[in-house]
Amino acid sequence: MAGLLLLIGAPALAQVASLRTYGTADGLRSLGADCLVEDAQTNLWACTYGGLYRYEGERFERVGASAGLSDAYVMNVSPTADGRGLWVATAGNLYFWNGDTAARVLDGQGAGIPFTVGHNVAALDDGAIAVSKGHALRVSGRNGQWQVQRLFDAPTEATHRELQDLGAVYRDQSLLWFGCGQTICRRQADGQVRVYTEEDGVPADAWTSFLRDSHGVLWARSPQHILVLTPGAVRFVERPVPPPSVLATTTRHLDLTQDTQGRVLTRSDGGMLRWDGAWERLDTRNGLPDVPPNAMIADSKGELWMSYGGVGVMRWRGYSSVQNWGPANGLAGLPNWALARDAQGGMLFGNERDVFRLAPGGDRVARMTFNTDAPIRDVFALTLGPDKAVWVGLYRGDLLRVADGQTTLVTTLPHRLRRIYFDRRGRLWLCTTEGVYVIDDPAHPVAHRFTALPSVSFGDVEEDAQGRLWFAGKGAMMRLDGSTVTPIKIQGDVPNQLFDKLSIGTDGTVWVSVDDAGLFRGPVEAGDTLTLKAVDDPLIRDSLPYFIRHDRQGRLWVGGSMGVDVLQGTQWTRLNETNGLISEDISEGAFFEDPDGSVWVGSSRGISHVLHPDRLLAKAPVALRIERVERGGKRIAPGAILPWEQLPVRVTLNTPGSIAGPDMLRFRYRLRGRQDAWIETSSRVLDFPALGSGEQVVEVQAIDLARRAQSDVMSFSFELQPPWWRSVPALVLWTLLAMAVVTGVWRWRVGAIVARKRELERLVAARTAELEADKRALELARTALQVQATHDGLTGLRNRTSIMELLEKEAHRARTQGTTLAIALLDLDHFKQVNDTHGHLVGDAVLSGVADRLAHNMRGSDTIGRYGGEELLAVMPGLLPPAMQRLQALHDAVGARPLNVDGLSLVVTCSIGVAWLRDDETPTDLLRRADDGLYRAKREGRDRVVVDGVHDAASDGTPVLA
């Protein structure tokens, strides 16, 4: 019994909810909905003090007075079974919405039907049941011809006095359930009424909500009780909530809803409760507001919607598919690079601060303890070895073995560690920034350099179906078969051979990322040749791959700078924050698949656990509806013939049930036969300023970029009559007038030809002079284009191509003349936060301001250019090392003074990596060393200068030579 009580009182796993809040900027005028309802067409409706709203895909649109619904306080709605109609209960009236307009329903005396708190309406096949003034009203009829009468006659109400004080109604197939007085009443199809009492398991309370779940269980809810009536049972049974949960102190907002996994949710005074064989609490530990919701609904797509007073409507993204773990769960230190599961089933997370562990079934992440002298920092790799020990790789080169609570420092490599991997033979491979090391026997771990591979940075190693090992390195793709190492000859459209990540599919296809070029693929061919082809996908092309991994189902997961792209068969799908991930900034190498097929992904803000990839990646059609077409504010019916008026036409689109973010949803449209080229937009409102007469056919299509899917082409047609001057009589008159005009013009024309000849001679001379002037203007324009081609449009600095050409030139000059050449690679710290907090316009202004400061700080021979994004490259010929004052001045030029942008005073700092050109070194090698310095500056805390060959920096940021 004690174990059972412990199970019942157990809290829900305290994963962090990924919430999307909809407020005034998203169309809601009232920040608090009293009801959330989904209809059969997957439209979501919200009842508010400010009217009735429908979710149309990242935005709520009001159904207002123009559609016949003038009441502001909407208390409850009930959709018809086909989803084409909606019963709307307001404080003063009952309306029926037919999809276009709302009509008021009047009682037998011609008055409106008012509703109060607790009253509601339930749709029937041929009408509705409305509870008003404590009585149940039967509304029947068709097409607006409604008849209203009491559901219960006087003798029935006299027999069951509870029926005179009804508060809620729920349709349950042929049954109707009521909250009547302080108990529950049921009406059968034949009109028989049963009143449940305490002997039937129903305590005295105000019963306001009912739900028949997918298992056939009837749920009933009151402020202090939750009851269930199982199929075949005659008594209700209470499902008590153990402390510290308290159900409610109000009769309002006691929704019952069931999610796609069969779990029933309702509110408590501390948040929400969820029944999954036991009660679980969902509250502030999950990132929810510290108040219970006003309304909630789990929709058919697996999303959970909630409304909070003063906040708006919230959507728990990925509610049924993704769990998130972050600082709120005890996971300190970001980003998270390494993921693994230990022999005891605990989930391990490695990041820049330490290794953290989530115990099986736990709801908190705990820091692991290690018996080591040096702190555990920059955990870049975790794996469970064949010896059941956890092997930990630190970026600085330390390799640790953790077993039986003891931590052993196995080795300290002389280079930075990037990847550790156990092959089928039990060997442990260690990829570093300068070559590969191997431990042949983990029981006697001795790491030695694998000299058959070159001394370049290797970012990844994978084993194919034949047991061969493939290594991806900067400038080399190598394969180890037994004891034979084979350099792979690369063919195809690869712009360079700076390979970093790789994965091999079950079909033998090699997938590999190439620096600054994206993702490539190619079949494993006989011999030592690999022909690679770029992945032709617009989202993949714009993303920088941080990991490439195949799961056991053969799906390819590509984590990048803008989310995770998954290839299932031939279908790509992007997963991002819209789908429930805690962040779209995925961390390098942060991928782990559990035996149950779920996938863990690390990011810059925490860990996301994709519980059911099949559900999240299931191909779903893109729904699109032309919601309304208006001209001059008046709706146009399909096929309408309209008189001529010079009025704009507006088309409003709806994507019911869509949760794609605005950056992932596009629309394209055209006027068939008039404007056949498709026009693409992200707006759901299409404006046509002026249309010619005749038939008008508007065609539209929705495109979900994340799922690489599109809707069917929808069309809407109507006709505009021609204006009076284009009628048949007017055309005859215009013809006669035209003939008269042609005759007069011919006579005039003959007389004008001679004069025109003389005029032409004069014009030829004038035109010759104009051509000379045009030639001079063209030369000036060519000069301007040359500047545009070599300079960045935002900052005015040299663009990437130009600064790289200058670097090549200066490197050649330095080698031939024996002079020095230094470069500095600058990156603005936390620049993404500026964009996220203040917007991209402020971000652009910050970048322009920094560029202006640096440009004015250059020496006469120095040049600075935009290397990419927020990265700048300074080329400084003749600069003698160590140039401490010069480098500090370059650093201070950025962050010494705040930037004033649009009234904001922004402190902007930068990280700088510096390197001097060595003998026989290419510009690419020089850039790589500067980039290593920049990466080190970031890892050591940013806002500093790191020079190649420098061990550390002084407290004031001044670099110190080693």
Side-chain angles (χ1 to χ4, degrees), residues 8 91 130 134 216 238 325 338 358 393 451 455 508 656 663 736 791-792 845 849:
I8 294 176
E238 184 151 13
W325 308 88
L358 176 64
T451 56
S455 298
D663 56 335
L736 295 175
H791 286 71
D792 179 57

Side-chain angles (χ1 to χ4, degrees), residues 101-161:
T101 58
R104 193 160 65 113
V105 179
L106 303 178
D107 63 12
Q109 287 72 42
I113 300 175
F115 292 82
T116 59
V117 174
H119 289 169
N120 65 334
V121 60
L124 303 178
D125 294 337
D126 60 347
I129 300 294
V131 176
S132 174
K133 298 180 181 179
H135 295 279
L137 302 178
R138 174 71 163 90
V139 183
S140 59
R142 293 283 183 184
N143 301 322
Q145 302 299 318
W146 305 111
Q147 295 180 350
V148 181
Q149 58 186 4
R150 289 278 188 95
L151 178 65
F152 301 109
D153 57 23
T156 302
E157 290 188 352
T159 302
H160 305 289
R161 294 185 178 277

Side-chain angles (χ1 to χ4, degrees), residues 397-452:
D398 289 357
L399 179 65
L400 309 175
R401 181 181 181 275
V402 183
D404 300 324
Q406 296 297 313
T407 304
T408 304
L409 176 61
V410 175
T411 186
T412 298
L413 301 176
H415 313 295
R416 294 170 182 168
L417 188 62
R418 300 197 61 200
R419 171 99 157 104
I420 64 176
Y421 179 78
F422 277 103
D423 65 14
R424 298 176 190 173
R425 295 170 52 183
R427 296 176 297 182
L428 179 60
W429 296 89
L430 312 170
C431 296
T432 77
T433 53
E434 291 192 33
V436 175
Y437 292 76
V438 65
I439 295 176
D440 296 309
D441 183 5
H444 303 88
V446 177
H448 62 88
R449 174 70 183 278
F450 193 72
T451 56

Side-chain angles (χ1 to χ4, degrees), residues 711-724:
S711 71
D712 294 333
V713 175
M714 309 298 294
S715 63
F716 186 97
S717 63
F718 60 96
E719 184 178 342
L720 290 180
Q721 294 178 333
W724 67 266

Side-chain angles (χ1 to χ4, degrees), residues 591-603:
F591 175 88
F592 180 80
E593 182 188 10
D594 263 330
D596 62 0
S598 63
V599 168
W600 299 76
V601 175
S603 68

Side-chain angles (χ1 to χ4, degrees), residues 650-707:
R650 168 166 289 187
V651 178
T652 303
L653 307 177
N654 181 10
T655 52
S658 171
I659 58 172
D663 56 335
M664 287 287 109
L665 194 62
R666 294 287 187 274
F667 303 93
R668 62 176 193 160
Y669 65 96
R670 66 182 179 183
L671 275 173
R672 191 174 67 196
R674 298 172 182 266
Q675 182 186 344
D676 289 331
W678 290 99
I679 301 174
E680 188 168 310
T681 179
S682 60
S683 174
R684 298 174 180 272
V685 177
L686 312 178
D687 286 316
F688 298 88
L691 298 175
S693 61
E695 184 184 29
Q696 317 290 327
V697 181
V698 179
E699 294 185 333
V700 294
Q701 187 177 43
I703 303 172
D704 188 338
L705 299 179
R707 292 189 174 273

